[in-house]
Each structure stands twice: as C-alpha cells, then as structure tokens.
Amino acid sequence: MGKEIVLSGIRATGNLHLGNYYGALSKFVRMQDDYDCLFFIADLHALTTSPDPKQLHENVKNIICEYLAAGLDPEKATIFVQSDVPEIPELYLLLNMHVGIGELMRTASFKDKARKQLGIKSESEDIEKEIIGTDSNKRVNAGLLTYPTLMAVDILIQKAHKVPVGKDQEQHLELTRRFARRFNSFYGVDLFPEPTNFDFGGAPVKVPGLDGSGKMGKSEGNCIYLIDDEKVLRKKVMRATTDTGPTEPGQAVSAPVENLFTLLELTSTPEVVKHYRDAYADCSIRYGDLKKQLAEDILKVTLPIRERYMEIRGDEEYLGRVVKAGAEKARERASKTLKEAREIMGIRKFY
C-alpha cells in the first residue's frame, strides 16, 4: 500500500447537488488512484435530526448510487455505510470518556443547531442556560452534542491522514486532532495520527445557489440535483434570480447575475463565458439566452450521471455487493484499531 489514507463522509440527508459535485465529488474521483480512499455515507450522523426511518434508508441508497454514478470506483476506493461498521459506535463510546462536555458545548455548529432545535433566534442568548434550564418539551439530543466525537472516531478508527472538510467543519477537525493528542498523551502511546485538512490546491470551489444567495444548499432549496431530470433542471435554471439588466456599459455585475456567471464558468467553455460577460458589459445581454445556455451546459454534466444512477439503482444485486465489500474493507482496519484501543484502555478478555 504505502499511500496516504484519505477519508470523507456525507450525511444521509438527501440527494447530492451540483455544489457537492464540484466542491468534493469530482475531486474524489481524481484522488482514487493516488490515495488510499475511504468514502462513506454517514447514516449515524443523520440520526441527530430524527429522520423518518424509511426516508433515511432511501437517502443512504440514493447517495451510494450517486457516488458510483459520479465515478467513484469500488475497485479503487472503499465505499461503505457508517452503520455497517459496528466498531465505530464502540470506539465512539470509549473516546467519549476523554471528551469534555464544555468543549463540545462551545462548538459553533452545536450552538447553531441547538438554537434551531430550541427555537432560539438570538445569538446573544445564553445557549448553555437554555439547554440545561428549559422547562419546555423542546430538547437538544445528546447525539448532537457528541457529534464531534463521532466524527473524530470516523477518522481515527481508520487512522486517516487527510480529511477534506469545508470551513464549517474545520473546528471539528481541530477537535479530532485534540482528541487524538489527548488519548495518545494520557496512555503514553502513539495510536492515533493527527489528521490534516486535504488541500486540493487553488481557491476552494464555491457553487452558488439559484436564488441569488452565495451558496447552493439542500436546506436553502436553491439546488440543482445531480439526478434532476431534464425538464425539472431547465425549469429551475429559467427561474433563477437575476436583475433588471445593465443600464450602462461597464456596469458592475450584480450578485445574482454573478452567481449565474460562476455556474457558467464551472460548466461551460471559456468562449461561452466570455461571450456572455462581454454581452453584459455592452448591455446587450438577454438573460433568457444566458439561462438556456447554462441549462444546456449543466445537463452535459448531470445527464450522464443521472443515466448511470438509474441503472445502478435498479441493480439491487450489484449495489449489495458494493456495500458488503466496502463494509468488509472498512471493518478490517477499524477492528484492528478498536482492539488496540481496548487493550490500551485496559479492557481485556479473561477468555
């Protein structure tokens, strides 16, 4: 082997969109030959928002199919479902014995999600007091609080060297390093490597939404999904937010229109991008033409993925083989790490 271990997972909360593809998935496909890659679907993490059980299973299936349809190769990378590796929840329990409640409650993502669960809008309110002292029936589940521990275990149990994360997850990755250091120091061992963020090189790709906002996201409802059919996708693009159009040559491009240009730069040729930027600059641009062009170019990217997705989703036998093989490979390393951790902590069998 000798390759650096890279791990990444995505919560099973819905279909993947264009932002997932350009921000991560297309890069994962290129990484497969150069790294020892593990890509998983985080169904245990998804439980923090109490999803419908049937929908959760469907979400897991959808994302596996989308992984494969986008080009992840089970012969090159380990593709698995988080809950298929029972060593993860066991190490999660053990590692929690070295994690402080205070440091978990101070994480930005916990505070944000706790506010949403409690219906608190103001960031100035004492969230810790609200969580502990509330008399309402609203509650924040413990899984949300210990989310960073579970994320750390996903990484540490595979002894991953690199983890591609966005800005919203950088704090969690720093906690992972802290937990690894703490465990190693407490027991005087060198069990867990300290993972670093995977640097793809260049500026991070930020895929904007269709509603004029800065980022494409499921919760914002401004997505182009990789499996949208042609009619749905065209309709979404044609409804994208714009403005009334430039009124003088050389006018600065407004944020909603710049978003469309950004999408065009991701999916179209440089010549096409230049044509429409020039048209904006000389006030001859027609947004209807721009949107039609954008829809055509996005479809060139997504339609092959959608067609492959439909094939895979209908092949239950193939899907089962992929997931089973991925679980076996993921468990091979995870079971070894868990056994080492148990021994180090003094949990040993008498038989």
Side-chain angles (χ1 to χ4, degrees):
M1 297 285 286
K3 295 179 179 179
E4 283 192 304
I5 301 167
V6 178
L7 178 135
S8 183
I10 188 165
R11 290 176 68 225
T13 55
N15 293 108
L16 303 183
H17 53 71
L18 214 59
N20 299 129
Y21 180 74
Y22 282 107
L25 198 48
S26 62
K27 296 172 181 176
F28 294 167
V29 173
R30 298 198 300 269
M31 289 162 51
Q32 295 178 111
D33 292 316
D34 300 320
Y35 297 92
D36 180 1
C37 293
L38 298 102
F39 301 116
F40 70 96
I41 297 87
D43 54 343
L44 298 179
H45 282 294
L47 294 175
T48 59
T49 53
S50 304
D52 174 79
K54 289 182 181 178
Q55 189 58 54
L56 175 61
H57 180 72
E58 287 301 301
N59 286 343
V60 171
K61 184 177 181 180
N62 288 342
I63 293 174
I64 295 167
C65 294
E66 287 165 342
Y67 270 179
L68 297 168
L72 291 186
D73 185 347
E75 296 297 321
K76 296 179 180 179
T78 301
I79 302 168
F80 67 99
V81 179
Q82 186 184 29
S83 61
D84 282 345
V85 184
E87 290 83 1
I88 291 173
E90 183 172 348
L91 187 59
Y92 168 54
L93 169 69
L94 297 177
L95 190 61
N96 262 326
M97 304 308 169
H98 291 279
V99 174
I101 293 174
E103 62 190 342
L104 294 176
M105 290 187 73
R106 286 191 294 272
T107 60
S109 63
F110 171 70
K111 289 183 178 182
D112 289 343
K113 291 174 182 176
R115 284 191 183 94
K116 288 179 183 177
Q117 289 194 8
L118 294 171
I120 299 171
K121 295 182 179 179
S122 173
E123 291 188 12
S124 63
E125 292 187 52
D126 187 345
I127 188 69
E128 289 87 353
K129 184 177 178 181
E130 287 292 329
I131 291 168
I132 297 169
T134 182
D135 293 324
S136 73
N137 290 326
K138 294 180 179 179
R139 60 179 173 79
V140 177
N141 66 61
L144 189 63
L145 177 66
T146 58
Y147 185 105
T149 312
L150 183 55
M151 178 176 163
V153 169
D154 290 326
I155 299 164
L156 298 178
I157 204 165
Q158 300 294 342
K159 297 188 177 180
H161 303 106
K162 296 183 182 297
V163 184
V165 296
K167 284 194 73 66
D168 58 334
Q169 293 290 324
E170 284 179 350
Q171 188 179 23
H172 287 176
L173 188 58
E174 179 53 44
L175 283 174
T176 300
R177 287 193 285 269
R178 185 191 301 175
F179 299 160
R181 272 195 309 274
R182 184 178 298 161
F183 186 96
N184 290 344
S185 175
F186 186 88
Y187 293 106
V189 296
D190 189 25
L191 179 63
F192 299 126
E194 293 184 32
T196 59
N197 197 348
F198 191 98
D199 183 7
F200 289 110
V205 176
K206 186 177 181 181
V207 181
L210 295 174
D211 59 351
S213 67
K215 185 179 180 182
M216 187 173 287
K218 298 172 192 172
S219 58
E220 287 80 4
N222 61 8
C223 293
I224 294 172
Y225 291 106
L226 297 181
I227 61 167
D228 279 340
D229 66 35
E230 189 171 345
K231 185 177 180 181
V232 168
L233 191 147
R234 289 185 192 279
K235 186 179 291 186
K236 284 183 177 182
V237 175
M238 294 308 292
R239 289 178 176 174
T241 303
T242 55
D243 56 22
T244 56
T247 56
E248 56 185 54
Q251 181 177 320
V253 182
S254 67
V257 178
E258 187 59 47
N259 284 352
L260 296 185
F261 281 139
T262 299
L263 289 169
L264 205 64
E265 286 167 353
L266 286 170
T267 57
S268 306
T269 65
E271 292 76 21
V272 167
V273 176
K274 184 178 185 303
H275 169 77
Y276 284 102
R277 282 203 178 274
D278 289 347
Y280 188 95
D282 66 16
C283 301
S284 66
I285 192 165
R286 294 165 61 93
Y287 288 144
D289 293 341
L290 168 63
K291 291 177 178 180
K292 287 176 184 176
Q293 179 71 55
L294 179 59
E296 287 296 328
D297 291 332
I298 292 174
L299 284 166
K300 289 176 185 175
V301 176
T302 61
L303 278 186
I305 294 174
R306 173 181 164 78
E307 289 169 7
R308 177 68 176 140
Y309 168 88
M310 299 303 290
E311 291 174 11
I312 295 168
R313 212 175 188 289
D315 192 342
E316 296 279 351
E317 187 179 338
Y318 170 69
L319 199 56
R321 288 200 309 272
V322 169
V323 173
K324 185 172 184 290
E328 288 171 354
K329 286 197 283 185
R331 289 196 68 184
E332 184 177 351
R333 190 152 41 207
S335 61
K336 184 175 182 295
T337 304
L338 177 61
K339 183 180 179 182
E340 290 174 313
R342 286 172 59 99
E343 285 283 329
I344 289 166
M345 296 178 75
I347 303 173
R348 300 161 190 167
K349 294 183 181 297
F350 286 95
Y351 56 90

